[in-house]
Amino acid sequence: LPRDTFFGNAMRDFIKQDAEAYTAKAEIKLHPDAKLTSITRFSTTDVGYVASLPQATFGPTVNVGNPQRLQDTESLAHQTELTVKFDTAGLRHTVVAGVEASKVDLERYGYTLLTTPPGGVPLFFPDPYRGLLNPALNTVGPPTLTYNATIENRAAYLLDTIKLSGLDKAKYKGK
């Protein structure tokens, strides 16, 4: 078969995508060497598709499968951290302490479809407009909920990055 053989249903197959994201950030300088940062992000994604692809071949015909999904996702995440810089015994410290939390709500649906015409699709001459002769092949039934979940994460962290100033000087010595 040529690589560009199209087994799809041009009268039904589709992909629809939408994504929106909003971010708010506040930063407060508490001291020349200390700042508080807070970031909140809200996003939604909606993806729906129906596709056609060849599956089992029976001689001169092929069954056509239809991967499909409608998925809506909504997420909210928040992070607050305090960054402090200071020197001790010739070492420059940058300490970051923070907390974060996130929540993702996900709903996944499946469509009701008539996938393959009786007898399959001709292997060597698949008709992308087969829905003209059998309009039921173009029907995308109402979505049915197949999976939903809420995923929540919470974390706290503390990091200390140390700059070894003596090694810095040695690194560049002689250049």
Side-chain angles (χ1 to χ4, degrees), residues 33-73:
D33 287 329
K35 71 178 175 180
L36 183 66
T37 306
S38 186
I39 300 172
T40 301
R41 182 172 180 92
F42 174 77
S43 65
T44 62
T45 58
D46 301 309
V47 176
Y49 64 86
V50 173
S52 299
L53 69 126
Q55 290 183 324
T57 301
F58 300 101
T61 63
V62 62
N63 280 342
V64 176
N66 296 104
Q68 41 81 19
R69 172 181 294 179
L70 172 63
Q71 182 169 302
D72 299 324
T73 306

Side-chain angles (χ1 to χ4, degrees), residues 14 31 34-35 37 47 54 60 62 65-66 74 76 128 147 170-171:
F14 68 89
H31 179 274
K35 71 178 175 180
T37 306
V47 176
V62 62
N66 296 104
E74 187 174 283
L76 178 64
Y147 176 78
K171 179 180 172 185

